[in-house]
Amino acid sequence: MSGAPSTRPAAFAIGEHDFLLHGWPHRILSGAIHYFRVHPGDWRDRIRAARSMGLNTIETYVAWNEHAPTRGEFDLSGRLDLGGFLDAVAAEGMHAIVRPGPYICAEFDNGGLPAWLTRDPQVRQLRRADPAYLEAVAEYLEQLAPVLVPRQIDAGGPIILVQVENEYGAYGDDHEYLRRLAACIRETGITVPLTTIDQPTDAMLEAGGLPELHRTGSFGSNVASRLETLRRHQPTGPLMCAEFWDGWFDSWGTHHHTTSAQDAARELDELLAAGASVNIYMFHGGTNFGLTNGANHKGRYVPIATSYDYDAPLDEAGHPTEKYFAFRDVISKYVPVPDDSPLPPRPAPAPAFEVELGERGPLPRRVFGPEFTSDQVPTFDEIEHDRGFGLYRAELAGEASRPAVLEIGEVRDRAWVRLDGTMIGTLARDSHERTLMLPSARGTLEVLVEDQGRVNYGPRIGEQKGLIGPVAVAGDPITGWSLQPLALDAVADLDLTVVDPASVQGDVARGVFELPEPTALFLDTREWGKGLAWVNGFLLGRYWRRGPQQTLFVPAGVTRAGMNAVTVLEFEVPGATHARFVQGPDLGPLEE
Ligand code: GLA
């Protein structure tokens, strides 16, 4: 038998004017840290630094595609231990805001949506009241419930708010979808207030919210006018800037984005003086480890860089910046900043040393998975290869004596083309390239393709990767394809003493080095071309001479006392003999 319904007021509620914590007016001073962008060994430290800056809350998205690489699975281990992260927030005496999406944007691969979902033919429309889409979303929210429900404030946990969708007004206006999604979140046992977020324009706030969900805004400047617009659409209750943009992300091929600490502090001051609540996006940005970065496409495909430093108050390596102290000064005008909490350590030089890459060899065919054959050129999605690299092969039987044009429908996103083992050239989607001159129309065509990250914003979310047909040489359609996925895990532990006669465009090199204790490092990539780097089997991410970033951050937690290994997979400038670790980050040139 269930007991009588509780009459106790909710521990956290939205009042006529304010957020109410145990019935008392409360201002949320939050900072964003995405657990999946920070090594778990650093979580506690980063959260404590937020507390020391004067924040009382940590906000995180949940990256569905990271937890569920295949449908039915739900990985909560290591970097994905969301429960552990929320417990660390609680242990620092802070509250938590959780934004489970299902779409999160966040410069993250596919905006957080699993590739198995976005290619499912049953799913007719994403982010709409589409039955197959909503069924998958319901499954996801059920998988998340055991983590979130017992950690809500009513159950003694840190969670005070949960956000529904993300800037939905920039994408759609299907209010039935928002209603169904909110109902679904409630059905899993979420009882804390629900919010939406939109860029503060009348159209987006109207399209992206519902009267029963508390509307918040995302902006980083023009505070007074943004709050005024938000107020028109959220006539009662507290005003909240749920993404106060205090910096910006970097994309490959651009400069490193920074904003002035003074300007950002002034905007924050204005926001707090207006009585608003805030979530600083980002407080600590972290890193797009592995192949997790997203991309933008506004007429041109632009992939996101590996560093997600964001020019945030706490930098990628966890050190306070000028912005940290400027924000702390502003916050201290409104609330006492804790004096019992140590300030994070100022950056100290990381150890600088060189490692000889003693083991080396061409990228062997044996690290590629089974061959999938098809008459027409298949996409990566057709072989359920969700991220990374794939090797296409086809026999060309045309004229041997004359050069011929290779023409590809679309390359997603970068292709290295070889004919009979000879490198011919590169095709880059970000330059709209899709044709290349071949010396002959006969021989074995090999195209190694990199998926550089799925688009995370706008109508191109979920688009397929790999080669998009048709493919023709000298105007003749090419048929009879094979496609093999690159098994990246196998590259990190590859035995380079075993020589493989069949190799692919790419070079693997490895070296070992000793450390007295686990230490955060910066791997200098400026001598190299384009590729991936691992330390002790942990894929740090992509590097690219194009920049802006020229170093990769190595969290202390992936290193160890004693022997360590660095592995590099280089696609464009083979022959590196050394890896260099340097004292600090080089995130690239600033805007002039
Ligand atoms: C929007 C999104 C975030 C992020 C920022 C830009 O506000 O909601 O997920 O993409 O833009 O960093």
Side-chain angles (χ1 to χ4, degrees):
M1 253 183 63
S2 64
S6 161
T7 50
R8 219 154 30 105
F12 196 79
I14 297 181
E16 246 332 88
H17 305 288
D18 295 290
F19 289 115
L20 299 174
L21 178 62
H22 304 297
W24 295 94
H26 176 78
R27 190 209 297 256
I28 299 172
L29 298 171
S30 171
I33 304 177
H34 302 151
Y35 59 97
F36 47 86
R37 284 185 159 128
V38 180
H39 190 278
D42 291 327
W43 285 346
R44 191 71 191 263
D45 180 67
R46 310 306 192 242
I47 295 164
R48 184 172 306 141
R51 180 178 182 272
S52 305
M53 196 178 82
L55 301 180
N56 55 26
T57 304
I58 298 292
E59 177 273 324
T60 185
Y61 280 127
V62 180
W64 180 9
N65 54 353
E66 283 297 273
H67 291 283
T70 46
R71 192 166 185 166
E73 255 178 46
F74 207 69
D75 184 359
L76 288 164
S77 64
R79 199 167 50 87
L80 299 175
D81 179 12
L82 173 59
F85 178 78
L86 294 169
D87 293 344
V89 171
E92 285 300 324
M94 299 178 82
H95 292 139
I97 299 172
V98 180
R99 303 201 286 167
Y103 164 77
I104 62 170
C105 192
E107 291 68 70
F108 202 71
D109 187 53
N110 225 16
L113 296 177
W116 55 257
L117 173 83
T118 54
R119 65 163 168 262
D120 182 345
Q122 307 286 318
V123 175
R124 307 282 290 276
Q125 286 188 304
L126 298 169
R127 305 177 68 194
R128 299 261 195 280
D130 174 281
Y133 169 76
L134 280 173
E135 196 185 309
V137 169
E139 262 173 49
Y140 158 59
L141 293 169
E142 282 295 341
Q143 288 164 321
L144 210 48
V147 180
L148 301 186
V149 171
R151 290 184 175 85
Q152 297 183 95
I153 190 164
D154 281 323
I159 302 172
I160 53 171
L161 290 177
V162 167
Q163 183 184 293
V164 179
E165 252 284 349
N166 193 74
E167 290 192 339
Y168 186 61
Y171 183 84
D173 59 359
D174 183 351
H175 284 181
E176 178 56 18
Y177 163 52
L178 286 182
R179 263 191 290 278
R180 300 271 293 274
L181 181 56
C184 202
I185 292 173
R186 286 281 182 238
E187 274 159 29
T188 68
I190 296 294
T191 52
V192 294
L194 301 181
T195 61
T196 55
I197 187 169
D198 278 290
Q199 292 160 44
T201 69
D202 287 322
M204 291 200 204
L205 280 160
E206 181 50 41
L210 294 176
E212 62 269 32
L213 306 176
H214 192 74
R215 286 181 163 94
T216 71
S218 50
F219 53 90
S221 57
N222 298 324
V223 165
S225 81
R226 308 282 201 228
L227 288 179
E228 204 182 294
T229 310
L230 178 59
R231 184 47 96 202
R232 280 204 294 281
H233 296 267
Q234 185 53 58
T236 64
L239 290 176
M240 177 160 184
C241 177
E243 274 183 38
F244 172 68
W245 299 324
D246 61 349
W248 206 242
F249 55 85
D250 288 346
S251 305
W252 294 114
T254 62
H255 61 276
H256 169 47
H257 291 78
T258 56
T259 58
S260 123
Q262 284 70 34
D263 291 354
R266 193 168 12 81
E267 301 282 358
L268 179 63
D269 201 357
E270 216 184 302
L271 194 59
L272 297 187
S277 279
V278 67
N279 173 46
I280 294 168
Y281 190 97
M282 299 293 298
F283 167 71
H284 171 54
T287 309
N288 293 312
F289 292 122
L291 305 177
T292 59
N293 66 279
N296 278 298
H297 196 305
K298 293 173 183 165
R300 187 168 82 92
Y301 173 80
V302 186
I304 305 290
T306 299
S307 169
Y308 200 66
D309 177 87
Y310 218 85
D311 197 30
L314 206 64
D315 73 11
E316 185 179 7
H319 296 125
T321 64
E322 191 192 343
K323 213 173 264 174
Y324 180 95
F325 295 100
F327 281 12
R328 191 168 185 266
D329 287 347
V330 168
I331 293 169
S332 68
K333 288 169 60 178
Y334 300 90
V335 291
V337 298
D339 47 19
D340 62 326
S341 183
L343 290 174
R346 303 278 191 147
F353 55 97
E354 265 193 9
V355 177
E356 195 195 334
L357 298 173
E359 285 177 75
R360 52 192 325 105
L363 180 64
R365 278 279 294 282
R366 68 175 189 278
V367 291
F368 286 78
E371 244 177 306
F372 171 90
T373 56
S374 151
D375 204 34
Q376 299 303 314
V377 69
T379 62
F380 285 6
D381 295 76
E382 278 173 72
I383 66 162
E384 302 187 356
H385 180 43
D386 291 343
R387 278 183 190 160
F389 298 75
L391 178 67
Y392 288 89
R393 287 159 61 88
E395 287 304 321
L396 305 184
E399 189 82 51
S401 55
R402 265 191 277 138
V405 175
L406 165 70
E407 195 175 349
I408 298 174
E410 201 178 331
V411 173
R412 295 186 186 160
D413 304 297
R414 190 175 183 81
W416 293 278
V417 179
R418 299 208 305 190
L419 189 65
D420 287 334
T422 302
M423 178 66 180
I424 307 297
T426 305
L427 292 171
R429 180 186 188 187
D430 53 14
S431 309
H432 302 283
E433 290 168 350
R434 44 183 218 90
T435 59
L436 194 67
M437 204 62 164
L438 301 180
S440 146
R442 181 166 303 202
T444 304
L445 179 72
E446 264 183 16
V447 188
L448 178 67
V449 178
E450 177 184 9
D451 153 14
Q452 292 183 275
R454 287 178 195 255
V455 170
N456 61 266
Y457 185 81
R460 285 178 186 264
I461 306 162
E463 66 177 13
Q464 304 232 323
K465 286 293 188 180
L467 293 182
I468 310 298
V471 178
V473 172
D476 294 330
I478 303 302
T479 54
W481 287 92
S482 86
L483 172 57
Q484 289 175 270
L486 174 57
L488 275 182
D489 290 345
V491 177
D493 329 307
L494 187 67
D495 181 354
L496 288 162
T497 59
V498 178
V499 180
D500 198 324
S503 67
V504 175
Q505 175 65 25
D507 223 36
V508 188
R510 188 180 301 122
V512 290
F513 58 98
E514 220 174 320
L515 288 173
E517 57 185 1
T519 315
L521 301 170
F522 300 92
L523 177 61
D524 187 341
T525 61
R526 82 196 80 207
E527 299 290 318
W528 303 335
K530 185 172 200 323
L532 305 173
W534 291 256
V535 166
N536 297 332
F538 178 88
L539 180 52
L540 302 171
R542 303 173 215 257
Y543 65 83
W544 198 357
R545 185 176 282 181
R546 174 177 292 187
Q549 73 181 102
Q550 300 294 338
T551 53
L552 288 174
F553 174 60
V554 186
V558 311
T559 67
R560 52 188 171 234
M563 287 316 263
N564 293 264
V566 57
T567 305
V568 180
L569 170 55
E570 166 63 50
F571 295 103
E572 299 192 348
V573 186
T577 55
H578 287 81
R580 267 196 325 143
F581 291 92
V582 290
Q583 293 189 335
D586 178 356
L587 296 180
L590 306 182
E591 191 176 31
E592 288 178 8

